[in-house]
Amino acid sequence: MPIINRIAEFHDEITAWRRDFHEHPELLYDVHRTAGKVEELLKSFGCDEVVSGIGQTGVVGIIKGNKDSSGKVIGLRADMDALPIHEQTDKPYASKTPGKMHACGHDGHTAMLLGAAKYLAETRNFDGTVAVIFQPAEEGGAGGKAMVDDGMMDRFGIQEVFGMHNFPGIPVGEFAIREGGIMAAADMWNIKVVGVDSHAAMPHKSVDPIVVASHIVLALQSIVARNVDPVQSAVVSTTIINGGSAHNIIPMNVELAGTVRALDPEVRLQVKQRLISIAETVAAGFGAKAEVDYRDGYPVTMNAPDQTAFATEVAKKLVGDERVDANTEPSLGGEDFSFMSNARPGAFIFVGNGDTAGLHQDQYDFNDEIIPYGCSYWAQLVETAMPNS
């Protein structure tokens, strides 16, 4: 099951779409140009239905096979938004908008799913229905949640959902996947330590929030080291400390902020509870108060067993067993495909981007050589899941 010849024939066309998206990056839900072009192309392919405005600016295209006796409906998802980064690639198709760039490859994800949609709408060699999902606001805006909350799964009868992300460092023509948590829950927290201010020469009259905050930062590191099962994965990082305004004043407040990452929902909850407890009790031990604002972010991206096994076999038939890592290391990055795979069983796979700059770096560029692999994976996933026999 090699690269589909028909898809290879319009590789250049898909590349042109990708580079157009790259030149015109848009952030979060403000993806009106991108979504508009996606909608226009889906209609030109002859999709049976194209619906825009789902989850604010999301787009869904419906393609029915030349048979519909299976009753199956599969969702394929791509993200459309860019990042607030100033591009430094010097490519001829580099971002035309200062301070915005496609530094995570969502331009490529969108183009590959469009390529698969064009092929599937042209051939319709499957028994069932496919929903191609183009999502806004993956980069911190929870666009996946917005589309789910807007009733997308029920409206189109989606039974399973699949996602894909390019991955620098994995060679071109290779895939990586794993059952269970493949990308982490990504939570944020802020702690305001409230003490008693005083002159720095009279520390006995203060409850020094800087000292308290320092103890909290150190104590938080015990969560992963002494509370989380060593065979599990978690990260607790303090990334911001703000406090004080003068050399001779002990301030009243210090603010801390950071992130928690976990690959298991129970571990995520355990870390959250310990973080809140440690902050409050350490502060109380010094006579201070800790006000904790903990915000649940994207859930763990969980790959369901059956869908993961199926996606793995599709990838192996496409590129060969030796070019698919079926038990890849999980990423501690967050991904809001998790909202879709929580709503319906699904699987998220990495496709190799080759030896390129890393994601979210100003030198990054999606590798157009991987387009036929991504498009063929999507097409063959549909044709294999819903065979026209």
Side-chain angles (χ1 to χ4, degrees):
M1 193 185 289
I3 296 298
I4 296 172
N5 289 336
R6 180 66 182 124
I7 287 176
E9 288 174 6
F10 48 81
H11 184 182
D12 289 345
E13 183 180 12
I14 302 170
T15 299
W17 300 336
R18 200 284 293 186
R19 294 184 178 185
D20 177 73
F21 293 138
H22 191 91
E23 282 188 278
H24 301 95
E26 297 174 296
L27 304 183
L28 294 171
Y29 290 95
D30 188 22
V31 291
H32 299 285
R33 182 189 184 277
T34 305
K37 180 161 185 174
V38 166
E39 181 181 2
E40 176 186 330
L41 285 168
L42 291 175
K43 289 179 177 177
S44 75
F45 301 158
C47 291
D48 296 277
E49 185 180 4
V50 179
V51 182
S52 60
I54 300 176
Q56 298 188 40
T57 45
V59 181
V60 175
I62 300 299
I63 306 169
K64 295 183 180 297
N66 53 29
K67 285 187 179 180
D68 195 20
S69 60
S70 72
K72 288 187 176 181
V73 183
I74 291 177
L76 312 178
R77 172 269 200 178
D79 36 18
M80 298 187 288
D81 59 320
L83 283 157
I85 297 173
H86 187 76
E87 183 165 354
Q88 301 289 341
T89 65
D90 295 324
K91 300 283 186 179
Y93 49 84
S95 171
K96 293 182 177 178
T97 307
K100 298 179 185 180
M101 73 169 289
H102 273 290
C104 202
H106 298 186
D107 50 346
H109 302 164
T110 298
M112 288 192 296
L113 188 53
L114 283 169
K118 178 174 179 175
Y119 169 83
L120 291 168
E122 180 181 287
T123 59
R124 299 183 184 263
N125 187 30
F126 57 96
D127 180 4
T129 300
V130 59
V132 287
I133 302 164
F134 297 86
Q135 178 212 302
E138 191 281 325
E139 298 290 357
K145 182 177 187 297
M147 295 189 81
V148 171
D149 289 349
D150 215 1
M152 175 183 71
M153 297 299 188
D154 292 334
R155 177 173 180 175
F156 300 107
I158 296 169
Q159 300 159 351
E160 300 175 295
V161 64
F162 295 86
M164 184 195 306
H165 204 294
N166 78 95
F167 205 105
I170 296 177
V172 172
E174 296 190 12
F175 291 86
I177 194 170
R178 65 179 286 117
E179 182 183 322
I182 190 168
M183 296 193 73
D187 298 341
M188 296 172 287
W189 54 266
N190 291 74
I191 300 172
K192 182 178 181 180
V193 180
V194 182
V196 177
D197 56 340
S198 76
H199 194 290
M202 294 177 279
H204 59 290
K205 294 185 176 182
S206 75
V207 176
D208 189 340
I210 291 178
V211 171
V212 177
S214 299
H215 279 271
I216 290 173
V217 170
L218 292 174
L220 293 182
Q221 297 309 302
S222 71
I223 297 174
V224 174
R226 288 296 178 266
N227 298 132
V228 174
D229 187 326
V231 302
Q232 299 282 5
S233 296
V235 172
V236 179
S237 291
T238 303
T239 56
I240 300 173
I241 303 178
N242 287 322
S245 59
H247 289 84
N248 60 349
I249 300 173
I250 293 174
M252 180 179 292
N253 303 320
V254 170
E255 295 187 358
L256 307 174
T259 187
V260 166
R261 306 293 172 110
L263 287 162
D264 179 271
E266 292 184 4
V267 171
R268 179 192 192 189
L269 179 60
Q270 178 190 25
V271 173
K272 175 182 179 177
Q273 292 172 338
R274 290 296 297 138
L275 183 145
I276 294 171
S277 176
I278 286 172
E280 292 177 346
T281 55
V282 169
F286 284 92
K289 181 181 179 182
E291 300 172 353
V292 183
D293 176 20
Y294 192 103
R295 300 181 300 287
D296 293 334
Y298 294 171
V300 180
T301 302
M302 297 294 292
N303 277 350
D306 291 347
Q307 287 71 25
T308 303
F310 173 70
T312 301
E313 288 308 306
V314 171
K316 286 181 176 180
K317 288 178 181 178
L318 176 64
V319 297
D321 289 11
E322 72 284 356
R323 304 189 78 186
V324 179
D325 182 353
N327 191 30
T328 191
E329 290 292 320
S331 167
L332 272 294
E335 167 59 63
D336 82 340
F337 176 77
S338 54
F339 291 106
M340 296 189 188
S341 60
N342 278 353
R344 296 292 187 273
F348 194 74
I349 196 168
F350 298 133
V351 58
N353 202 55
D355 185 17
T356 65
L359 302 175
H360 292 214
Q361 295 182 5
D362 60 11
Q363 292 285 331
Y364 169 85
D365 188 28
F366 179 87
N367 188 345
D368 292 320
E369 292 181 22
I370 78 173
I371 286 173
Y373 295 99
C375 292
S376 295
Y377 168 80
W378 283 138
Q380 292 174 2
L381 187 148
V382 170
E383 292 177 347
T384 306
M386 302 182 288
N388 192 2
S389 57

